[in-house]
Amino acid sequence: MSEKSVAYRAARKARAARELGAWLVMLPGLVLFIFFLWEPLLEAIRLSLYEAKGMTLVRFVGLQNYVEVMRGPDFWPSVINTFKYLFWSLIIGFLLPIAMAIGIHESSWGKGIYRTSFYLPNIVPGLATVFLWRFLYRSDASGGLNMLLSAFGIAPQNWLNSAVTVIPMIVISMTWKGAGSTALLYLAGLQGISPELYEAAIIDGANVRQRIWNITLPQLYNLMRTLLILQVISVFQVLYEPLVMTNGGPNNASISMMQLVYRYAFDKFDYSKASAVSVIVAIALIALTLVYNKVNKEKDM
């Protein structure tokens, strides 16, 4: 056997050993990923195709659960409301963290104080945040916002009892909770931008607005589109905010698709229909992700 063949076989063995080591490192994560994600998803698909008593399968019914779910009085309001949550979260919750991060980055003093104060709401437990904002939104004179308005002689407002304002109000509470942590991610991205770009722009006479538009936002583009799809996925899973604040009211004006899953599973104990709605949510997210990736792929070409 020639020396070249021996060296080639030795290189192949070394590469196989490295690949085996990499797979062994990833194996625990892959096992957990399959167990906690793919196995429940496949089980939900199977359960949605059967009539069940509790978690016990009775008989195969095909797509009947999906048809009955879509004909239910709560389904289409929950779909419409979920896209309303998405719209308002992109208007409020997506843009605000970017503005916060840019504000901290451009400030000349107090950056540590700003970072800490913006992140503090993120460490508050989720349900505690919901109860806090439910108190602030109370429609009587004891509500936090109405107490503030009364100091200016303004009558109490029905913040959560209006079908027009209920979803924006809920989104504001969600943004207060999560905007700080997202802003820190953007701030980390900003700190990775070369200072030479800003120095050159300043020499050319660019003001703050021009630097943000021509340097900051283009450099953050990849991070922004990643966090965008993560936010879409998160908003489609909104549950306990409308559940605790309004229970989907008034008149289903704030019910989300995940709250509909909760109603089927824990109010009606119909796990088959709950699984059907969950699968519909998963399909919608997959479709949105594919469209989003296709659009971005065309832009990158």
Side-chain angles (χ1 to χ4, degrees), residues 185-230:
L185 293 177
Y186 283 118
L187 186 60
L190 288 171
Q191 292 172 346
I193 301 175
S194 174
E196 296 177 355
L197 295 174
Y198 291 105
E199 293 171 2
I202 293 173
I203 293 173
D204 290 338
N207 56 33
V208 174
R209 183 187 61 82
Q210 292 171 329
R211 295 199 301 270
I212 291 173
W213 186 257
N214 295 299
I215 298 176
T216 303
L217 294 181
Q219 292 293 318
L220 288 179
Y221 176 71
N222 289 330
L223 178 59
M224 288 167 61
R225 68 183 190 179
T226 300
L227 293 179
L228 173 62
I229 194 63
L230 292 177

Side-chain angles (χ1 to χ4, degrees), residues 133 135-138 142-150 159 169:
W133 281 90
F135 164 74
L136 293 176
Y137 286 147
R138 287 187 63 172
S142 64
L145 292 181
N146 284 333
M147 291 173 65
L148 182 62
L149 292 178
S150 66
W159 301 101
M169 293 296 103

Side-chain angles (χ1 to χ4, degrees), residues 3 44 114 131 150 182-183 192 248 288:
E3 293 183 1
Y114 294 145
F131 281 113
S150 66
T182 307
L288 288 173

Side-chain angles (χ1 to χ4, degrees), residues 23-269:
W23 279 106
L24 290 176
V25 170
M26 292 189 298
L27 185 59
L30 289 174
V31 172
L32 292 175
F33 183 79
I34 293 172
F35 183 77
F36 286 105
L37 181 66
W38 285 109
E39 195 278 334
L41 178 59
L42 294 175
E43 183 62 26
I45 294 173
R46 186 169 75 101
L47 183 58
S48 69
L49 300 175
Y50 281 82
E51 178 187 342
K53 290 185 178 179
M55 297 298 293
T56 304
L57 304 182
V58 176
R59 64 186 179 91
F60 180 80
V61 294
L63 299 179
Q64 179 181 334
N65 289 319
Y66 293 90
V67 173
E68 292 180 359
V69 161
M70 291 182 181
R71 289 177 176 174
D74 299 337
F75 178 76
W76 291 111
S78 71
V79 173
I80 294 171
N81 290 339
T82 298
F83 279 96
K84 286 182 180 179
Y85 281 112
L86 179 59
F87 171 78
W88 284 107
S89 70
L90 295 181
I91 296 296
I92 301 173
F94 183 71
L95 298 179
L96 182 60
I98 299 174
M100 292 165 60
I102 293 175
I104 296 174
H105 186 68
E106 294 290 336
S107 64
S108 57
W109 60 274
K111 291 186 178 182
I113 297 175
Y114 294 145
R115 285 196 299 264
T116 303
S117 59
F118 287 159
Y119 187 75
L120 278 177
N122 197 70
I123 67 176
V124 179
L127 280 178
T129 300
V130 175
F131 281 113
L132 168 66
W133 281 90
R134 191 174 71 168
F135 164 74
L136 293 176
Y137 286 147
R138 287 187 63 172
S139 58
D140 56 21
S142 64
L145 292 181
N146 284 333
M147 291 173 65
L148 182 62
L149 292 178
S150 66
F152 297 93
I154 302 175
Q157 304 295 313
N158 293 324
W159 301 101
L160 296 178
N161 294 329
S162 169
V164 177
T165 61
V166 61
I167 289 181
M169 293 296 103
I170 293 175
V171 170
I172 288 173
S173 69
M174 294 163 56
T175 303
W176 181 85
K177 166 70 174 172
S181 60
T182 307
L184 292 185
L185 293 177
Y186 283 118
L187 186 60
L190 288 171
Q191 292 172 346
I193 301 175
S194 174
E196 296 177 355
L197 295 174
Y198 291 105
E199 293 171 2
I202 293 173
I203 293 173
D204 290 338
N207 56 33
V208 174
R209 183 187 61 82
Q210 292 171 329
R211 295 199 301 270
I212 291 173
W213 186 257
N214 295 299
I215 298 176
T216 303
L217 294 181
Q219 292 293 318
L220 288 179
Y221 176 71
N222 289 330
L223 178 59
M224 288 167 61
R225 68 183 190 179
T226 300
L227 293 179
L228 173 62
I229 194 63
L230 292 177
Q231 182 159 348
V232 170
I233 294 172
S234 176
V235 171
F236 262 77
Q237 298 175 2
V238 61
L239 170 61
Y240 59 82
E241 289 88 357
L243 178 65
V244 175
M245 285 189 182
T246 63
N247 195 26
N251 193 25
N252 281 339
S254 62
I255 186 175
S256 65
M257 294 187 74
M258 291 308 298
Q259 189 179 352
L260 184 60
V261 174
Y262 180 91
R263 285 186 178 179
Y264 276 120
F266 300 106
D267 290 345
K268 301 178 181 179
F269 300 101

Side-chain angles (χ1 to χ4, degrees), residues 1-14:
M1 185 179 295
S2 65
E3 293 183 1
K4 186 176 181 179
S5 299
V6 172
Y8 176 73
R9 294 184 63 181
R12 287 187 60 185
K13 289 182 178 180

